[in-house]
Amino acid sequence: MIGRKNLGVSSFLLVLLALGFFFATYNLLTMVIQNKAADEIGKLNHLTQMPEKTGGGNSDMRFHVALTATDAIYSQWQSRIMYYWYKKVKDMPRSDMGKFTRILHSGKADNLMDEIPSFVVDPLPEGLDRGYIVLNRPWAFVQWLEKATIEEEYILMAEPDHIFVKPLPNLAQGNHPAGFPFFYIKPAEHEKIIRKFYPEEMGPVTNVDPIGNSPVIIKKYLLEEISPTWLNVSLRMKDDHETDKQFGWVLEMYAYAVASALHGVRHKLRKDFMLQGELTYGKIGEWRFDKRSYLNGPPPKNLSLPPPGVPESVVRLVKMVNEATANIPGWDTVTRG
């Protein structure tokens, strides 16, 4: 998932930009470019056909954009860039994008409350996340859905390290949420573990979709039903040594997939929802951008562009980051609140 993998980007991204309403990750990744063909960096999944009926400017199909975040600088600067591009594309044609909320699970307000629409919720009790901070994500959604006033009937679960490159229509189909199939989420290959949380009487393991919770567009009432189960399954998985060891940093993603299956919810798998590439660990070339280089402060303005020969899609993503940082007030001065 986004923020969790290094991503190589090929020229196939240009197709997605032309179709125009998808997420792109600007660097979950060490974007590493050598003076070789971009095909050596990574390959993208193929597009699936568009469904016959999706949203696109219909007020009944509006979805609320919700991302979970902390008050850490690393989370803050990504959230600021994400929100900048949300505002930029929200009201364009074919958009079903509604209001925006940063669900802040640090338990207290921070210095971005006036810049980004935010809703403060409590983190898990101390020690319960075992150092795995994303366990706070399902707990944050449980609290937000219970306490907040949400006008839209659909919700897009997103993360700070997403960028909207074009306006996004509602890809869900009624009670079938839209989700992105991750190549590394493989429930069928881990049936022994999955059966600890999804018993045989519930049906085949193939009922568990190869997804995480983000990006997902889902009806609000379904997420209200799934979220408490998602939290409970996440905590149970973390408590189980075998499961924790096997699933590692994608444990909470598997927990969402299992929780959805327990509620009989199947997702429409949309490979065109988001870009996903292959790992590029260790391939250090002449140009590199790694978001994890900016754990303690935001990246500088005007990042250098990739060298000649790199797909225009990659250049465009870097330019999008540069545009955001050039126009967000106080980019260089904001510190943790």
Side-chain angles (χ1 to χ4, degrees):
M1 145 86 237
I2 298 191
R4 311 179 186 192
K5 284 271 185 178
N6 282 3
L7 175 66
V9 183
S10 77
S11 57
F12 195 64
L13 175 58
L14 292 173
V15 177
L16 296 181
L17 294 176
L19 290 176
F21 43 77
F22 307 111
F23 275 117
T25 55
Y26 54 95
N27 134 64
L28 321 172
L29 66 137
T30 303
M31 246 194 234
V32 178
I33 308 297
Q34 300 181 12
N35 283 330
K36 297 181 180 180
D39 287 342
E40 297 182 10
I41 309 299
K43 300 176 182 178
L44 297 176
N45 290 323
H46 295 290
L47 280 173
T48 56
Q49 280 191 329
M50 295 291 293
E52 293 183 1
K53 294 182 180 180
T54 59
N58 186 337
S59 60
D60 292 336
M61 298 292 285
R62 293 273 178 198
F63 55 83
H64 196 106
V65 179
L67 70 152
T68 55
T70 73
D71 62 356
I73 294 175
Y74 179 66
S75 179
Q76 286 185 328
W77 68 256
Q78 293 177 70
S79 297
R80 299 179 83 193
I81 292 176
M82 199 271 201
Y83 183 58
Y84 173 87
W85 283 103
Y86 157 83
K87 291 189 295 181
K88 187 101 173 179
V89 305
K90 173 184 178 293
D91 295 322
M92 290 182 177
R94 284 190 54 79
S95 169
D96 286 321
M97 300 164 69
K99 293 182 179 180
F100 185 104
T101 300
R102 179 184 61 137
I103 308 173
L104 184 63
H105 56 78
S106 299
K108 61 182 185 300
D110 67 359
N111 55 343
L112 296 182
M113 303 298 289
D114 293 333
E115 178 179 333
I116 304 175
S118 301
F119 191 92
V120 178
V121 297
D122 293 326
L124 288 168
E126 186 175 358
L128 195 58
D129 65 10
R130 286 82 154 176
Y132 181 55
I133 195 169
V134 294
L135 281 184
N136 286 281
R137 185 172 293 139
W139 176 225
F141 272 108
V142 168
Q143 296 174 82
W144 178 64
L145 290 164
E146 180 181 321
K147 300 175 182 178
T149 299
I150 306 163
E151 297 176 359
E152 299 87 347
E153 291 304 313
Y154 291 85
I155 292 169
L156 165 64
M157 291 189 284
E159 296 185 22
D161 55 3
H162 293 169
I163 285 183
F164 291 101
V165 294
K166 292 289 181 179
L168 182 68
N170 190 335
L171 302 177
Q173 296 182 16
N175 290 329
H176 294 285
F180 179 77
F182 291 92
F183 69 85
Y184 48 84
I185 301 296
K186 302 177 180 179
E189 292 187 9
H190 301 290
E191 181 167 2
K192 178 175 177 287
I193 291 177
I194 294 295
R195 285 303 186 195
K196 295 182 180 184
F197 313 96
Y198 187 74
E200 291 187 11
E201 57 265 28
M202 295 299 298
V205 170
T206 52
N207 286 347
V208 180
D209 293 325
I211 59 170
N213 80 290
S214 175
V216 163
I217 300 177
I218 185 171
K219 276 197 169 181
K220 179 173 59 179
Y221 89 88
L222 287 175
L223 188 56
E224 288 172 340
E225 294 177 356
I226 292 171
S227 291
T229 308
W230 174 24
L231 172 61
N232 290 333
V233 173
S234 296
L235 294 173
R236 288 175 56 207
M237 284 185 171
K238 192 64 178 174
D239 278 337
D240 185 86
H241 177 73
E242 180 186 19
T243 305
D244 188 25
K245 181 178 180 181
Q246 181 63 54
F247 290 165
W249 57 268
V250 296
L251 180 149
E252 164 265 340
M253 298 172 69
Y254 272 103
Y256 174 80
V258 168
S260 297
L262 288 170
H263 285 271
V265 175
R266 300 298 307 271
H267 295 68
K268 296 293 183 181
L269 304 181
R270 298 296 302 261
K271 292 183 180 181
D272 55 356
F273 203 157
M274 186 178 67
L275 297 175
Q276 176 181 228
E278 295 179 352
L279 295 176
T280 58
Y281 291 126
K283 299 179 181 179
I284 308 302
E286 67 176 57
W287 182 84
R288 177 180 180 177
F289 177 46
D290 185 350
K291 70 172 189 176
R292 287 161 295 193
S293 298
Y294 305 102
L295 294 174
N296 299 314
K301 296 181 180 180
N302 197 28
L303 292 167
S304 63
L305 297 180
V310 174
E312 180 59 30
S313 54
V314 181
V315 178
R316 177 174 179 178
L317 291 177
V318 178
K319 287 181 176 179
M320 291 176 75
V321 173
N322 284 343
E323 178 182 329
T325 61
N327 288 283
I328 295 173
W331 178 256
D332 296 322
T333 59
V334 171
T335 57
R336 181 171 180 166

